[in-house]
Amino acid sequence: MSTKPETKKKKEKSEDLSPEDQLLKQKIHDLVEQICDLNNAQETTLTSLKELTIEVRKSTSLRTAIPKAMKFLKEHYNRLEEAFNLLIPGPRKQHFADFLSLVCNALKDNYENDCLRFLQQGTRQVNLEELGEEYILNLSGDLANEYLNLLEEGKDVADIHELTKQILPVMFRTGNELTIVDLLLEVDRLDLLQEHMHQDNFMRIFNYLVASVNYTADNVEFETIMNTLYSVAMYLRNYGSALRVAIRWNSREKVMEVLSQCTDEGLRKQFCFMLGRHR
């Protein structure tokens, strides 16, 4: 008796879908069937993966609370990952990994750096700029976490640094400068910051890094942050900010360098006033 209301509820739920949504749900189901059938030819699997990727990206590009393609794909995720694990290494598995990297953050229940893990097993030909801001932000979190894991295990971190370089331009374009700073501090590559900084984003990053100095773990991190701040400020000829760093750094050499390179007499007088107050 208890199964009838359940069946009725499922039926009502299905009937709530518009004809267009029902078609999308069926299409996703059919594509998953093709992908998970390991007896299919490799070309069949690759074509289905490409079509499913298009549907997912089309859906996630719309500003909706829950993208429909992802909603319909959710019930199939575990099966997709099981099929992936059964594949032998090769092009089919690499393209499969690219797809799982794209969707795992939203669909996997027990997530643990899987976006990065699948990306590293993939083709390495994915255009990261096309995958969207949410994907990039999630990947940046994975990179920071995995870097710490690799350090603890004494393993090579070159791939983490390479992927960090690749996502920096995207993150700057989407206005995620502060997340970038956190990532670069986590992976010990603050030196990558300077080439992406300009007059428009300088003060926001500068002020955030200055505040971060108060929470440095050791002298090495302190020196790295101060050196980055000073180098960028001098590069952009923001001598006021460079002097602030030199004073905070307590570096007479840097103070004299700022004063010698700044040719604006009005600024030089203000700097002397600042130095007098500091003394």
Side-chain angles (χ1 to χ4, degrees):
M1 292 291 291
S2 60
T3 57
K4 287 182 181 178
E6 242 178 71
T7 308
K8 187 179 178 184
K9 192 176 179 182
K10 285 182 182 177
K11 188 178 178 184
E12 285 173 354
K13 238 181 170 181
S14 175
E15 287 171 353
D16 285 343
L17 295 176
S18 67
E20 189 178 88
D21 288 348
Q22 287 181 18
L23 283 173
L24 177 59
K25 185 175 183 180
Q26 186 60 46
K27 182 178 182 179
I28 286 174
H29 175 272
D30 293 342
L31 289 171
V32 169
E33 288 295 320
Q34 291 284 348
I35 293 166
C36 292
D37 187 348
L38 303 184
N39 293 319
N40 280 336
Q42 177 172 287
E43 284 307 311
T44 302
T45 303
L46 296 183
T47 300
S48 298
L49 278 168
K50 186 177 180 180
E51 284 189 49
L52 193 52
T53 301
I54 290 170
E55 289 298 336
V56 167
R57 291 178 60 183
K58 191 194 307 178
S59 176
T60 52
S61 66
L62 301 174
R63 297 200 174 269
T64 55
I66 304 176
K68 288 177 181 176
M70 297 292 270
K71 178 182 176 183
F72 299 145
L73 191 59
K74 172 75 175 175
E75 63 185 276
H76 302 291
Y77 181 80
N78 289 338
R79 189 179 170 206
L80 283 166
E81 192 168 325
E82 287 168 9
F84 170 81
N85 291 331
L86 292 173
L87 285 171
I88 60 172
R92 187 194 310 222
K93 188 160 189 169
Q94 288 178 319
H95 284 279
F96 207 152
D98 288 342
F99 175 75
L100 291 179
S101 177
L102 177 63
V103 302
C104 65
N105 181 50
L107 303 183
K108 187 164 184 177
D109 293 327
N110 300 311
Y111 181 87
E112 189 175 351
N113 299 342
D114 293 288
C115 177
L116 173 61
R117 179 171 65 86
F118 286 125
L119 182 64
Q120 289 176 317
Q121 295 179 69
T123 61
R124 303 308 292 262
Q125 296 173 352
V126 175
N127 186 343
L128 296 175
E129 296 190 24
E130 296 179 353
L131 298 184
E133 181 180 357
E134 187 177 346
Y135 176 88
I136 294 297
L137 290 175
N138 184 63
L139 179 58
S140 72
D142 285 6
L143 289 168
N145 293 334
E146 187 61 17
Y147 180 78
L148 293 176
N149 293 336
L150 293 175
L151 279 186
E152 289 176 4
E153 297 168 9
K155 294 181 179 178
D156 185 32
V157 295
D159 194 40
I160 301 297
H161 287 159
E162 181 55 38
L163 285 168
T164 298
K165 285 183 190 178
Q166 290 180 34
I167 67 173
L168 284 188
V170 189
M171 295 179 75
F172 269 103
R173 275 199 296 277
T174 52
N176 290 290
E177 295 96 343
L178 303 189
T179 305
I180 291 168
V181 173
D182 289 337
L183 171 61
L184 294 180
L185 285 170
E186 289 286 351
V187 301
D188 298 322
R189 287 306 307 269
L190 208 56
D191 58 293
L192 297 175
L193 198 57
Q194 183 166 327
E195 64 182 287
H196 298 283
M197 288 182 68
H198 46 75
Q199 296 292 351
D200 293 335
N201 63 23
F202 171 73
M203 285 312 301
R204 190 174 181 218
I205 296 174
F206 180 88
N207 290 332
Y208 187 71
L209 270 175
V210 167
S212 301
V213 170
N214 298 322
Y215 305 100
T216 50
D218 50 45
N219 286 335
V220 175
E221 188 175 42
F222 174 83
E223 292 285 330
T224 301
I225 293 175
M226 297 305 281
N227 188 56
T228 300
L229 286 169
Y230 181 78
S231 298
V232 173
M234 291 296 284
Y235 172 73
L236 295 175
R237 298 181 181 179
N238 192 318
Y239 297 117
S241 295
L243 185 62
R244 282 176 59 195
V245 176
I247 292 173
R248 177 73 180 271
W249 209 348
N250 201 25
S251 171
R252 179 183 176 82
E253 179 188 346
K254 296 287 191 291
V255 168
M256 296 307 296
E257 187 177 21
V258 173
L259 292 175
S260 65
Q261 291 198 26
C262 178
T263 57
D264 186 309
E265 285 302 316
L267 278 178
R268 286 167 62 88
K269 289 177 182 177
Q270 288 183 45
F271 293 166
C272 290
F273 178 72
M274 287 171 63
L275 289 167
R277 289 186 62 188
H278 178 65
R279 290 179 62 84

